[in-house]
Amino acid sequence: MVAAKSNIKTYKAFQTEVESSNRIALSVDCVIFGFDENKLKVLLIRSDLKKYEGKWSLLGDLVLPDEGLDEAAYRILKQRTGLSDVFLEQVHTFGEIGRHPVNRVVTVAYCSLINVQHHKLKILDNELHWHDVDSISDMAFDHKIIFDTSLSQLQKRVREHPLGFSLLPNKFSLRELQNLYEAILNVKLDRRNFRKKFFSMDFLIDLDEVETDVPHRPGKLYRFDYVKYEKSAKNWNGIAF
Amino acid sequence: MVAAKSNIKTYKAFQTEVESSNRIALSVDCVIFGFDENKLKVLLIRSDLKKYEGKWSLLGDLVLPDEGLDEAAYRILKQRTGLSDVFLEQVHTFGEIGRHPVNRVVTVAYCSLINVQHHKLKILDNELHWHDVDSISDMAFDHKIIFDTSLSQLQKRVREHPLGFSLLPNKFSLRELQNLYEAILNVKLDRRNFRKKFFSMDFLIDLDEVETDVPHRPGKLYRFDYVKYEKSAKNWNGIAF
DNA sequence: GCAAAAGTGTTGGAAATACACCCATGT
DNA sequence: ACATGGGTGTATTTCCAACACTTTTGC
């Protein structure tokens, strides 16, 4: 790095270095989590690349020269699934030299949670569909590593913020909510303590409705009070299970 | 994105897209925290770029085509400061379109903690020196945003892992340790409860030495028992101040 | 009436907090 | 002797974990 020690880099010197750095391509990969049948799911497609034919892959693509990273992530999610109107959050950037078999590609991983029932997939190319997270073994590229990292982050974030609700229907029972937390965190929780904790937070609105078509006593339905949550300065003290 | 819906991308189609993505350059910026005179510090240099002449900047440079991201971060830190043998951790990737005035440059931020006393800077080009974190106002590029993000992450991580010790001399008093936590977290802590907490973790080794040259009763010196910490399966339950 | 899950309170232990006095050193 | 920060213990409160029985519905 010749220019590293110069006091002021000229535009020209910088351009020369940029050309060298330009040999690195940039992509985004989306790890989309959902929740259905009491299991945590992830959206995968069959790999684009011949070398990984048959393997499953995250929803990814190259970043365009004139779009921001977040923008790229939303575009790719929309292109691959037809969906918009979800939160995407950056997880980590992966840039090992050999991670892509053809080119040097650095990828920024994004993570999202969507409600499987609510957001029906509109595009199903490349065999896009939901996979149980615990059925995932090998994947294309280093996507298994990216997936594992994203899942760990999800587990961490779901303890700190009320993200889980975006995975549930608008109306949900406490049992569904608990199932969700148990699935994401991969733990068993005490029902009474779980209820106590959520009721004490006071962000659940009792809808005075109950489940139907269950072969047992129906549970009451609730929705999450996003308005109150926003107003209370994000006063979510975290979940310590 | 023409190829997005094809089932299998050929190498050639992919190459075409890569060329377009190649117009994006990739850099790494290091946010190096230190601790001295009971204040949290950060290492900055004068900006390389003419447009930002006079402004302070993080330690950054472009990523070489044949090096990994972590590798680049370590190289840049070494080049800019002469230092190695520190932990670097990725923080976030910043890719807004206008963030660099000349080119499209996406940057991966890394964060590190170094011991100011222990690691004397060997290179001082571009006016490299330590700045009080609370004296930082505007910076070159979007580096203020990157800095703020890194500081928030530091505050979060220091509650979860025993990172702080890398900012202190090998031998430190409990007062120094408490000052460190107070500086990073920007809070006041109760001395007795602080001691209780750290002693109960049992990761401090009493060196049977005391401070010298202090105009008051000298404090005992300790070091952090990294071996025990590693062995105990990272049994750090976090710090809840 | 039976199976299956909903709903509900209490108690004991652990951890966090608040708080005040004596001690060792340098000047 | 005095100024400065080091070192220590206890009482209170708060939070978390463990735990069992009754209720409601579908079949």
Side-chain angles (χ1 to χ4, degrees), chain B residues 25 55 71-72 111 140 150 168 175 193-194 197 212-213 218 236:
Chain B
K55 302 236 181 197
E71 210 180 322
C111 167
S150 299
L168 292 174
R175 165 53 54 187
N193 294 335
F194 183 85
K197 186 164 307 197
T212 52
D213 296 322
W236 178 277

Side-chain angles (χ1 to χ4, degrees), chain B:
Chain B
M1 295 302 300
V2 178
K5 294 186 178 183
S6 68
N7 277 336
I8 300 292
K9 260 182 206 173
T10 61
Y11 280 10
K12 200 173 163 198
F14 191 78
Q15 289 301 346
T16 309
E17 290 181 32
V18 162
E19 276 161 35
S20 144
S21 176
N22 274 353
R23 293 176 47 200
I24 306 173
L26 190 67
S27 70
V28 162
D29 281 295
C30 298
V31 186
I32 312 299
F33 291 103
F35 184 68
D36 199 22
E37 300 163 331
N38 287 339
K39 289 188 173 183
L40 190 61
K41 310 269 184 177
V42 64
L43 265 184
L44 302 180
I45 53 176
R46 291 281 187 192
S47 174
D48 273 323
L49 260 202
K50 221 164 190 166
K51 163 158 182 181
Y52 290 118
E53 204 167 345
K55 302 236 181 197
W56 295 101
S57 155
L58 299 170
L59 314 180
D61 214 336
L62 294 168
V63 177
L64 301 178
D66 59 350
E67 71 183 348
L69 294 176
D70 295 359
E71 210 180 322
Y74 284 107
R75 170 180 61 79
I76 289 163
L77 179 61
K78 176 124 194 194
Q79 270 180 349
R80 297 291 199 179
T81 66
L83 298 174
S84 44
D85 206 27
V86 298
F87 292 108
L88 278 166
E89 211 174 356
Q90 196 189 111
V91 174
H92 194 83
T93 299
F94 297 83
E96 293 304 301
I97 293 170
R99 62 170 297 280
H100 191 290
V102 185
N103 288 92
R104 176 79 196 278
V105 182
V106 169
T107 198
V108 185
Y110 278 79
C111 167
S112 178
L113 307 173
I114 80 171
N115 177 332
V116 174
Q117 301 305 330
H118 235 228
H119 299 103
K120 281 294 173 200
L121 306 174
K122 293 172 190 121
I123 296 169
L124 292 170
D125 296 335
N126 301 73
E127 299 180 56
L128 175 77
H129 71 267
W130 293 104
H131 297 242
D132 282 10
V133 294
D134 43 50
S135 74
I136 299 196
S137 49
D138 72 331
M139 296 176 71
F141 308 97
D142 54 353
H143 284 190
K144 183 61 163 58
I145 294 170
I146 298 177
F147 165 75
D148 289 339
T149 307
S150 299
L151 181 54
S152 301
Q153 276 231 248
L154 170 63
Q155 292 177 335
K156 203 170 156 187
R157 284 181 183 163
V158 87
R159 291 168 190 267
E160 297 168 350
H161 306 285
L163 305 174
F165 299 98
S166 59
L167 291 168
L168 292 174
N170 278 344
K171 303 175 180 186
F172 52 86
S173 67
L174 270 180
R175 165 53 54 187
E176 288 175 290
L177 186 60
Q178 183 173 342
N179 285 342
L180 172 68
Y181 274 89
E182 289 183 339
I184 294 179
L185 299 176
N186 200 29
V187 290
K188 272 285 163 208
L189 302 171
D190 179 273
R191 184 157 44 102
R192 281 165 292 189
N193 294 335
F194 183 85
R195 301 176 142 263
K196 221 180 303 173
K197 186 164 307 197
F198 271 91
F199 286 135
S200 73
M201 289 176 190
D202 212 27
F203 287 132
L204 295 183
I205 297 175
D206 186 337
L207 295 173
D208 279 318
E209 295 176 63
V210 291
E211 296 173 294
T212 52
D213 296 322
V214 287
H216 55 75
R217 173 174 175 177
K220 296 179 81 171
L221 295 177
Y222 300 86
R223 65 179 178 83
F224 183 70
D225 192 340
Y226 281 103
V227 176
K228 186 166 183 179
Y229 171 71
E230 293 296 333
K231 273 189 190 157
S232 66
K234 315 280 180 179
N235 235 350
W236 178 277
N237 296 316
I239 317 262
F241 292 127

Side-chain angles (χ1 to χ4, degrees), chain A residues 27-33 42-44 56-61 89-96 99-100 105-112 136-137 139-154, chain B residues 90:
Chain A
S27 70
V28 162
D29 282 295
C30 298
V31 187
I32 311 299
F33 291 103
V42 65
L43 265 184
L44 301 178
W56 295 101
S57 156
L58 298 170
L59 314 180
D61 214 335
E89 211 174 358
Q90 197 189 109
V91 173
H92 194 82
T93 299
F94 298 83
E96 293 304 302
R99 63 169 296 282
H100 191 290
V105 183
V106 169
T107 197
V108 184
Y110 278 78
C111 167
S112 178
I136 297 190
S137 48
M139 295 176 71
F141 308 96
D142 54 355
H143 284 190
K144 182 60 162 59
I145 294 170
I146 298 178
F147 165 75
D148 288 340
T149 306
S150 300
L151 181 54
S152 301
Q153 277 231 246
L154 171 63
Chain B
Q90 196 189 111

Side-chain angles (χ1 to χ4, degrees), chain A residues 167-182:
Chain A
L167 291 169
L168 291 174
N170 278 343
K171 304 175 179 185
F172 53 85
S173 67
L174 270 179
R175 167 52 54 187
E176 289 175 291
L177 186 60
Q178 183 173 342
N179 285 341
L180 172 68
Y181 274 87
E182 290 183 339

